[in-house]
Amino acid sequence: MSERKATVASSSGLHARPASLFAAAAGEVGVEVTIAMDGAPAEDAMDASSILSLMTLGAEHGSTVVLRAEGDGADAALDSLAKMLETDLDAV
Amino acid sequence: MQNFPGVGVSPGRIVGPVRQMPRPLAEPPAGEKLAPGTSAEDAAAALTAAAKAVQVELRARAAAAAGDAKAVLEATSLMATDPMLIKASVKLINAGTSAERAVWEAAEAVAAMLVNLGGYMAERATDVLDVRARVVAALRGVPAPGIPASEVPFILVAEDLAPADTATLDPATVIALLTAGGGPQSHTAIIARSLGLPAVVAAAGVDQLADGTEVYVDGAAGTISTGPGDTERAAAAAWAANASTLSVFDGNGTTADGHLVPLLANVGGAKDAVKAAAAGAQGVGLLRTEFCFLERETEPSIAEQVEAYRGVFDAFPGKKVVVRTLDAGADKPLPFLTDATEPNPALGVRGYRTDTTSPGVLERQLAAVAEAAKGSTADVWVMAPMISTPEEAGDFAAMCSNAGLNTPGVMVEVPSAAVTAESILREVDFASLGTNDLTQYTMAADRQLGPLAALNNPWQPAVLQLVRLTVAGAVAEGSGKPVGVCGEAAADPALAVVLVGLGVSTLSMTARSLAAVGAVLATVTLEEAQEIARLALSATSPAQARDRAREKLPVLAELGL
């Protein structure tokens, strides 16, 4: 199991457009990626490709979240998704 | 060619294809199980396919949209195939629930979660429920609910339209409204007039027209016909050319012989007021103050109210602004004022009457109006809704005087007020006829009920008689106190002429109607208006009253009104 921490850079948090973009990207990386607030138990992690999960996660601008995945390509997938979280997607 | 006669409620002549408003989607029954012979696997596959189809359609719409609408459509397209939603649905399907019921319940749970988060997330709950309805419609193979999406402008047809249906109505795509039910005071009629869309209501059979059928609509005459020919196309083109002249009011309401009839606007807040002033309104004949009270759990503070009222006063420096005090109750309930359990709310504690059950709210509102008036040059008048007796009028005048407001008046909406107008006007300085409620109470016909549309018509001779009586009461009182009209009736150019002929001194209406009413009024002398009013008064039906008036007003046909 690989994991990455990332700080949400989008000014509106992980809502609306940033959530749409991130969920779509997470659905395309080829491995199952989960997302949780930093400090929350791993078993409460939610599907990162679900926009509804992302919305109910309630991550605001500046929140730290943990991404987890396993299997082939997990590290590359997590790297690209973490980088995305640390970009202000409202400005894209 | 097929004809569908109806009631014209908003003028305009147009040719275009119709699209039917899909019927509201029925909830799949609770406990609905998988149909015999359908495996859970098949049901799950059907659900996934339906979800995918909804996603494809929403993506296509997102691609064609721009700005906020695009972002919302992109997000909702993702929701359709969302893993959280699909997984929860499949779990229910595996337990034996039908696909429709499964997605219904799964989405319900997600929506509830979003509502609990509040704020922005709570607003997104509506999107989840919209996606749910679309997926269920796709599973059933019926059109998705809501206003149909179309790249080609169309005429929207429905049994009737509710406020929720029209919230997303885009006047660039929807070019006219037709309903099989509804009446002249229905929501469809009001929204059509405020958007300036031609509309015909109570046209039986139109809801059976096939999508794409080309029709000609005359929103003034109340006619709809299929297979439009050259004549109809020419009429529509002439209307389009005329519409630009009918959108400008010169700010001077008068008859042909110079009898002045100030044309005022009905507004519901500062934004409306600014628009109305730009449209040439000579003042505000009805400021609905509910805007600062609705959707609130508690009464707004005096300071909040002062600011809200001042925004309106500032849009009309030096002009008359008639403030109607809070009109809560019946179709406008307020948790801190009205009792939702009344068996007959239209006849209940509403309007001015709430002062007896919740004293203080009105007094504080009057204080706020007076304070806002101090800081402005607007000529502020105040009137109470639902006044029934001279005693109530007197009590209201005393409250206004205590607050430092010098021009108290009353709405005449209850027939008893029309009948006793002379005594009532001894207590206050003016009266304003609220024709929507006056019609409802005179005819004992609920405004919202389609089957009573024929009764609920301001052209009813009985309603016109009460207008006449109110004016007669003002004349008998002797000091020349004005009687205005601030209901939907004033926005109908033909009826406006009748009202002026009956002696009404000002007309207040939605700002969009000012130009049309002004244009028609300018073609008749006061004496002609009085003659037209006599003809309408002596009619035996609303249709006859209207026909008699229209016959004397050839300008209506010329302008397509």
Side-chain angles (χ1 to χ4, degrees), chain A:
Chain A
M1 173 78 73
S2 307
E3 62 175 68
R4 300 281 185 285
K5 285 189 185 180
T7 303
V8 176
S10 296
S11 45
S12 66
L14 212 43
H15 305 158
R17 191 165 147 74
S20 300
L21 294 172
F22 184 78
E28 284 164 9
V29 292
V31 288
E32 274 195 25
V33 181
T34 66
I35 186 167
M37 295 297 278
D38 188 20
E43 61 267 27
D44 286 355
M46 297 199 275
D47 188 336
S49 68
S50 160
I51 184 170
L52 295 171
S53 297
L54 294 177
M55 287 167 64
T56 51
L57 184 67
E60 304 295 335
H61 171 77
S63 298
T64 303
V65 297
V66 185
L67 300 174
R68 296 185 181 88
E70 54 190 346
D72 281 351
D75 285 303
L78 292 183
D79 285 339
S80 75
L81 291 175
K83 196 173 156 203
M84 194 169 179
L85 283 180
E86 303 208 315
T87 309
D88 183 358
L89 297 173
D90 282 314
V92 176

Side-chain angles (χ1 to χ4, degrees), chain B residues 368-392:
Chain B
V369 172
E371 179 62 29
K374 262 186 217 157
S376 101
T377 60
D379 179 17
V380 177
W381 297 19
V382 194
M383 63 184 180
M386 286 294 287
I387 291 289
S388 317
T389 65
E391 189 185 2
E392 286 175 350

Side-chain angles (χ1 to χ4, degrees), chain B residues 418-434:
Chain B
V419 173
T420 59
E422 181 185 346
S423 314
I424 284 180
L425 280 165
R426 291 196 194 286
E427 306 290 340
V428 292
D429 295 337
F430 71 98
S432 182
L433 289 146

Side-chain angles (χ1 to χ4, degrees), chain B residues 25 28 47-48 50-51 79-80 82 85-86 88-90 92-93 97-110 128-129 131-137 139:
Chain B
L25 200 75
L47 174 66
T48 314
M79 286 177 196
D82 190 273
L85 184 62
I86 301 288
S89 306
V90 169
L92 288 166
I93 291 173
T97 306
S98 74
E100 290 168 29
R101 184 66 201 178
V103 70
W104 191 272
E105 287 179 13
E108 190 84 41
V110 175
V128 174
L129 296 179
V131 162
R132 167 176 83 172
R134 288 174 183 282
V135 173
V136 171
L139 279 167

Side-chain angles (χ1 to χ4, degrees), chain B residues 256-347:
Chain B
D257 56 337
H259 171 69
L260 297 183
V261 184
L263 302 186
L264 316 170
N266 295 347
V267 305
K271 227 164 106 186
D272 263 10
V274 170
K275 264 195 224 160
Q282 293 174 266
V284 171
L286 171 63
L287 166 59
R288 302 185 175 98
T289 54
E290 292 77 59
F291 73 98
C292 51
F293 290 84
L294 286 179
E295 285 167 26
R296 295 186 59 126
E297 292 298 316
T298 55
E299 184 188 344
S301 71
I302 291 186
E304 272 175 87
Q305 293 189 50
V306 169
E307 191 171 332
Y309 304 148
R310 191 164 285 158
V312 175
F313 298 165
D314 286 350
F316 285 95
K319 303 268 180 66
K320 177 163 102 173
V321 176
V322 183
V323 180
R324 178 180 70 187
T325 58
L326 189 55
D327 188 17
D331 55 341
K332 291 168 287 201
L334 281 182
F336 54 91
L337 260 186
T338 56
D339 172 6
T341 64
E342 283 179 349
N344 200 346
L347 303 183

Side-chain angles (χ1 to χ4, degrees), chain B residues 22-107:
Chain B
R23 312 234 154 233
L25 200 75
E27 174 178 343
E32 187 180 71
K33 295 290 164 203
L34 286 169
T38 306
S39 68
E41 212 168 35
D42 291 345
L47 174 66
T48 314
K52 192 73 207 165
V54 169
Q55 178 169 58
V56 167
E57 199 224 316
L58 290 173
R59 270 205 188 133
R61 284 178 60 188
D68 285 352
K70 189 186 186 78
V72 168
L73 285 166
E74 277 171 353
T76 42
S77 77
L78 282 174
M79 286 177 196
T81 58
D82 190 273
M84 181 182 182
L85 184 62
I86 301 288
K87 274 181 198 160
S89 306
V90 169
K91 207 170 154 189
L92 288 166
I93 291 173
N94 286 336
T97 306
S98 74
E100 290 168 29
R101 184 66 201 178
V103 70
W104 191 272
E105 287 179 13

Side-chain angles (χ1 to χ4, degrees), chain B residues 118-524:
Chain B
Y120 172 84
M121 292 302 164
E123 289 166 32
R124 297 280 76 76
T126 321
D127 300 339
V128 174
L129 296 179
D130 176 57
V131 162
R132 167 176 83 172
R134 288 174 183 282
V135 173
V136 171
L139 279 167
R140 289 181 183 166
V142 299
I147 294 173
S150 167
E151 283 168 22
V152 186
F154 62 92
I155 295 168
L156 182 64
V157 189
E159 160 56 28
D160 200 3
L161 293 167
D165 300 325
T166 53
T168 57
L169 196 154
D170 175 5
T173 319
V174 176
I175 52 176
L177 301 177
L178 307 178
T179 61
Q185 331 260 15
S186 64
H187 176 73
T188 305
I190 292 169
I191 195 85
R193 282 190 285 259
S194 78
L195 292 174
L197 294 176
V200 178
V201 302
V206 279
D207 53 344
Q208 305 301 323
L209 284 169
D211 275 355
T213 309
E214 196 169 53
V215 300
Y216 168 71
V217 176
D218 185 330
T223 54
I224 302 157
S225 52
T226 57
D230 290 346
T231 324
E232 286 79 18
R233 284 178 206 285
W239 163 263
N242 249 332
S244 52
T245 59
L246 277 179
S247 61
V248 187
F249 173 55
D250 64 6
N252 184 27
T254 173
T255 59
D257 56 337
H259 171 69
L260 297 183
V261 184
L263 302 186
L264 316 170
N266 295 347
V267 305
K271 227 164 106 186
D272 263 10
V274 170
K275 264 195 224 160
Q282 293 174 266
V284 171
L286 171 63
L287 166 59
R288 302 185 175 98
T289 54
E290 292 77 59
F291 73 98
C292 51
F293 290 84
L294 286 179
E295 285 167 26
R296 295 186 59 126
E297 292 298 316
T298 55
E299 184 188 344
S301 71
I302 291 186
E304 272 175 87
Q305 293 189 50
V306 169
E307 191 171 332
Y309 304 148
R310 191 164 285 158
V312 175
F313 298 165
D314 286 350
F316 285 95
K319 303 268 180 66
K320 177 163 102 173
V321 176
V322 183
V323 180
R324 178 180 70 187
T325 58
L326 189 55
D327 188 17
D331 55 341
K332 291 168 287 201
L334 281 182
F336 54 91
L337 260 186
T338 56
D339 172 6
T341 64
E342 283 179 349
N344 200 346
L347 303 183
V349 181
R350 56 168 299 200
Y352 174 74
R353 302 167 177 186
T354 56
D355 188 54
T356 57
T357 50
S358 308
V361 177
L362 178 57
E363 198 182 328
R364 288 185 288 275
Q365 183 178 29
L366 290 172
V369 172
E371 179 62 29
K374 262 186 217 157
S376 101
T377 60
D379 179 17
V380 177
W381 297 19
V382 194
M383 63 184 180
M386 286 294 287
I387 291 289
S388 317
T389 65
E391 189 185 2
E392 286 175 350
D395 290 346
F396 179 69
M399 288 178 83
C400 289
S401 162
N402 285 341
L405 291 160
N406 302 324
T407 317
V410 299
M411 295 272 300
V412 173
E413 301 167 283
V414 183
S416 67
V419 173
T420 59
E422 181 185 346
S423 314
I424 284 180
L425 280 165
R426 291 196 194 286
E427 306 290 340
V428 292
D429 295 337
F430 71 98
S432 182
L433 289 146
T435 47
N436 303 0
D437 271 328
L438 183 61
T439 306
Q440 145 162 299
Y441 292 130
T442 303
M443 306 309 298
D446 190 318
R447 283 161 66 178
Q448 318 287 336
L449 293 181
L452 302 182
L455 288 176
N456 207 319
N457 184 329
W459 283 98
Q460 283 284 358
V463 177
L464 300 179
Q465 286 290 358
L466 287 178
V467 173
R468 184 188 64 80
L469 274 177
T470 308
V471 173
V475 172
E477 189 276 334
S479 55
K481 292 179 178 172
V483 175
V485 169
C486 64
E488 292 289 320
D492 173 340
L495 192 43
V497 169
V498 170
L499 295 170
V500 169
L502 289 171
V504 161
S505 56
T506 57
L507 298 170
S508 189
M509 65 202 77
T510 171
R512 277 195 183 268
S513 299
L514 290 166
V517 170
V520 173
L521 196 55
T523 64
V524 292

